[in-house]
Amino acid sequence: MDSDFSNYSLDVLLNEPSRLERSISSLKDQFEQSMTSNYDFFIKTCENASTITDDLESCSENIAKLSQSLSSSIELCSELCLTAQNAVTSNSKISAAFTHLGNVTTILSIPRMMRTCKVSNYPEEALQLYAAIDRFARQYPSLSSVQSALEESKIVRNDVAQTLIDSFTKKMKLTDIIKSVTLLRRAGVNTEAELRLAFVNGRRKKLQAKMAKLNHLSPLSYFDGLTKFYRNGLYKICTWYRALFNGDDADDDLTLHLAVQHEAANYCNALASALDAITDINDARLAMQGALYFMNSLGRLGFDFSLLVEHEFYHSKWAQST
């Protein structure tokens, strides 16, 4: 027997099971009483836990909605900032327009002033006005009124350029020709090749106009006058051409060569007609001397067509008389 139970009497030991049963019964009663008294609290706790769970879910949903709202708000703020920037830019443009109102008014009147300069034969001033509106239009490309004025000015500029090209057919000094070519280059309407061709064709038209006024008193006098005009005209065309277009290819430019060749062929045709119309051998000799002198002059410029003159003579009626 354990030492713990050695101190108990027999009666106590016999009554111990009964005491334990009473203790157990008391504990059961206390537990049932506790369950009965705390049941409502337990139910409320469960309900509160469910409510808290629902609230947490609702908070999560609200947080998600708030995140979406924040994204939309950020986009809206960006749009508002962009709108504000555009408003500032527009305001600056409007302010600049009012500040430069006098200049804008002057710019818009440039096409009219250019037409006045063209009519008054002031091409340089007209091109200066065009340069001014062109710079202004580049500075303010968004101003439709300025762009419209620029387009109108381009039409006037093209007319001025054409007037300068037409002047090549008139009586002009070399200094005037140089000024016209310089202005045409400044206008920028024609390429360098087009300017060369325009100059050559213009001077050829001038030469043809002068020859159309020759008298026809006799075949020799007509041919002498023709030779004089050709000699002076082609000499000026060649020398002025090289002075105006003094690039590396000026001497070998096909434009000048073809023009001189064409005029030389025309001259030889005129020589053939003159030799056929002349009735005196001395007149024929004088005509040939003038033609050979003219061709020798062209030869010094790099265009030797003496063989063409000789060919016309040997195929004329005078070839057998010499």
Side-chain angles (χ1 to χ4, degrees), residues 46-299:
C46 291
E47 291 177 352
N48 290 336
S50 177
T51 302
I52 291 171
T53 302
D54 294 339
D55 291 342
L56 289 174
E57 291 178 354
S58 178
C59 287
S60 298
E61 293 177 357
N62 291 332
I63 289 173
K65 292 179 180 180
L66 181 60
S67 298
Q68 295 177 355
S69 299
L70 287 175
S71 300
S72 301
S73 298
I74 292 173
E75 293 178 358
L76 180 60
C77 288
S78 299
E79 293 178 359
L80 289 175
C81 290
L82 182 60
T83 303
Q85 291 176 357
N86 293 335
V88 171
T89 303
S90 300
N91 187 44
S92 299
K93 291 181 179 179
I94 293 172
S95 299
F98 279 107
T99 302
H100 301 286
L101 182 60
N103 294 335
V104 172
T105 304
T106 303
I107 288 295
L108 295 180
S109 64
I110 280 182
R112 176 180 55 79
M113 292 189 290
M114 287 182 65
R115 282 191 289 269
T116 302
C117 291
K118 175 182 176 296
V119 173
S120 303
N121 196 24
Y122 291 112
E124 185 173 3
E125 287 74 9
L127 293 179
Q128 288 175 353
L129 289 170
Y130 177 79
I133 192 173
D134 184 58
R135 287 193 301 269
F136 195 84
R138 292 176 187 274
Q139 187 176 0
Y140 300 100
S142 60
L143 296 179
S144 58
S145 57
V146 175
Q147 297 300 324
S148 177
L150 176 63
E151 293 301 321
E152 188 176 354
S153 298
K154 284 182 179 180
I155 297 175
V156 182
R157 178 201 60 175
N158 295 344
D159 292 341
V160 171
Q162 187 59 49
T163 301
L164 291 171
I165 288 177
D166 293 340
S167 67
F168 292 151
T169 63
K170 301 176 182 178
K171 184 178 180 180
M172 299 179 71
K173 297 179 180 179
L174 177 58
T175 53
D176 297 330
I177 292 284
I178 292 175
K179 183 178 180 180
S180 295
V181 172
T182 302
L183 291 177
L184 284 168
R185 286 170 175 159
R186 186 187 304 174
V189 177
N190 306 98
T191 64
E192 193 71 10
E194 290 172 343
L195 291 180
R196 296 184 179 197
L197 185 61
F199 168 76
V200 170
N201 288 339
R203 300 316 294 174
R204 288 175 64 192
K205 288 181 180 179
K206 171 64 177 172
L207 178 60
Q208 296 298 329
K210 291 178 66 175
M211 290 188 297
K213 298 178 181 179
L214 285 172
N215 65 74
H216 294 264
L217 295 178
S218 68
L220 180 61
S221 65
Y222 173 77
F223 186 73
D224 284 344
L226 187 75
T227 301
K228 178 182 177 181
F229 284 148
Y230 260 114
R231 185 170 61 248
N232 293 335
L234 291 184
Y235 177 81
K236 286 184 178 180
I237 289 176
C238 294
T239 55
W240 288 11
Y241 184 94
R242 288 167 177 168
L244 293 168
F245 310 103
N246 56 355
D248 295 335
D249 60 341
D251 292 335
D252 299 326
D253 189 5
L254 191 60
T255 302
L256 182 61
H257 280 266
L258 290 177
V260 175
Q261 181 179 359
H262 190 271
E263 293 302 333
N266 290 339
Y267 178 78
C268 289
N269 291 335
L271 173 62
S273 299
L275 291 175
D276 185 61
I278 290 175
T279 58
D280 186 271
I281 189 172
N282 292 322
D283 290 347
R285 184 180 294 109
L286 291 174
M288 283 300 301
Q289 288 176 352
L292 289 173
Y293 177 76
F294 166 48
M295 287 303 169
N296 288 332
S297 299
L298 278 183

